[in-house]
Amino acid sequence: MATIPQVKVGSTQKPMPVIGMGTSSDPPVELEIAKTAILEAIKAGYRHFDTAFAYGSEMSLGVAIAEALRLGLIKSRDELFITTKLFASFASRDQVEVNPLWQQKKLIEFCKEKGIHVTAYSPLGANGTKWGDNRIVESDVLGDIAKAKGKTTAQVSLRWVYEQGVSLVTKSYNKERMKENLEIFDFSLTEEELNKISQLPQRKGVTFASLLGPHELVLEVDAEI
């Protein structure tokens, strides 16, 4: 089982694992499917789960945690770090899109100066969703680095995000990909590789307006993240 680094967040006493599993799904999956995926994630080593009322995943996460306790996969709910969000805000104020093609360097630096810990969503560009694309997983630059290191393009992207000093939320219900997403702590990127990634064209991939329509509140949230 993978060992995941942890980080102190704000005034909380409980450290947060730097990689979390996202539980949103579009279209929503059945409770049993989500529960099974979360249990597999716990087996793989995930201890941080990201949910929200708007995702409709809080129930399946709760059921999965209860089952994990029953099976002895965890001894206590305290072993887990759960993040959730208010429905009206759609996204946590310290959770923003960060990946090699939307690097957010100025924002990350600003947050560091203010003592705000950033968590990256869509670290792989939300590939496979109706609002994301495959620009990251099919990037030639990232692919060449991955080949040189014996890693996948996704792992190189996740490692780059981690090296920015932020935590990240990944999303996959595939058991093997869950494990691969945790296998980013046994290598690092060179200065030359980081320089190549820094020169990649930048474009925001995920907007809430594209999902929910150009409502005033939604546009405000998009502008903030």
Side-chain angles (χ1 to χ4, degrees):
M1 186 173 69
T3 300
I4 304 172
Q6 298 180 326
V7 62
K8 286 279 185 74
V9 181
S11 61
T12 60
Q13 298 298 312
K14 187 179 180 65
M16 181 179 75
V18 297
I19 295 185
M21 176 185 175
T23 61
S24 65
S25 183
D26 185 49
V29 299
E30 296 179 2
L31 186 148
E32 193 63 28
I33 294 175
K35 184 190 81 170
T36 299
I38 292 167
L39 286 172
E40 289 295 339
I42 291 174
K43 292 176 184 177
Y46 287 85
R47 293 296 182 269
H48 173 191
F49 293 89
D50 181 74
T51 185
F53 176 81
Y55 297 168
S57 61
E58 292 177 327
M59 175 66 76
S60 56
L61 179 58
V63 171
I65 292 172
E67 182 71 0
L69 288 166
R70 187 185 71 81
L71 295 174
L73 299 178
I74 55 175
K75 295 180 180 179
S76 166
R77 159 66 177 79
D78 289 341
E79 293 182 30
L80 305 178
F81 193 104
I82 310 298
T83 55
T84 190
K85 310 167 194 69
L86 296 175
F87 175 72
S89 63
F90 296 103
S92 173
R93 294 288 177 136
D94 61 350
Q95 194 174 98
V96 298
E97 180 184 359
V98 178
N99 55 59
L101 300 184
W102 189 242
Q103 298 183 7
Q104 302 264 50
K105 289 187 176 182
K106 289 184 179 179
L107 176 60
I108 291 172
E109 186 59 35
F110 173 82
C111 289
K112 286 180 180 178
E113 291 174 357
K114 301 298 182 181
I116 300 170
H117 181 76
V118 172
T119 296
Y121 69 74
S122 296
L124 300 178
N127 183 44
T129 68
K130 67 181 182 182
W131 60 84
D133 55 44
N134 60 2
R135 291 179 303 140
I136 289 177
V137 296
E138 294 193 0
S139 165
D140 291 337
V141 171
L142 298 176
D144 288 345
I145 295 172
K147 288 178 184 177
K149 294 188 173 297
K151 291 290 184 176
T152 67
T153 304
Q155 287 171 325
V156 169
S157 179
L158 297 178
R159 177 69 197 191
W160 179 88
V161 173
Y162 172 66
E163 289 191 13
Q164 307 314 299
V166 306
S167 54
L168 53 145
V169 173
T170 63
K171 163 67 195 310
S172 178
Y173 282 1
N174 179 288
K175 182 165 66 172
E176 293 307 313
R177 288 201 192 98
M178 285 183 198
K179 293 178 181 178
E180 287 180 358
N181 289 343
L182 296 181
E183 294 170 351
I184 66 168
F185 302 111
D186 58 352
F187 76 103
S188 59
L189 298 170
T190 66
E191 287 298 321
E192 180 182 1
E193 290 164 344
L194 290 168
N195 184 54
K196 288 180 179 179
I197 294 173
S198 72
Q199 297 178 48
L200 289 170
Q202 298 294 293
R203 178 169 65 83
K204 187 175 184 179
V206 181
T207 63
F208 287 103
S210 66
L211 300 173
L212 305 170
H215 308 296
E216 182 178 355
L217 176 59
V218 176
L219 292 173
E220 287 180 6
V221 173
D222 273 337
E224 290 182 6
I225 62 175

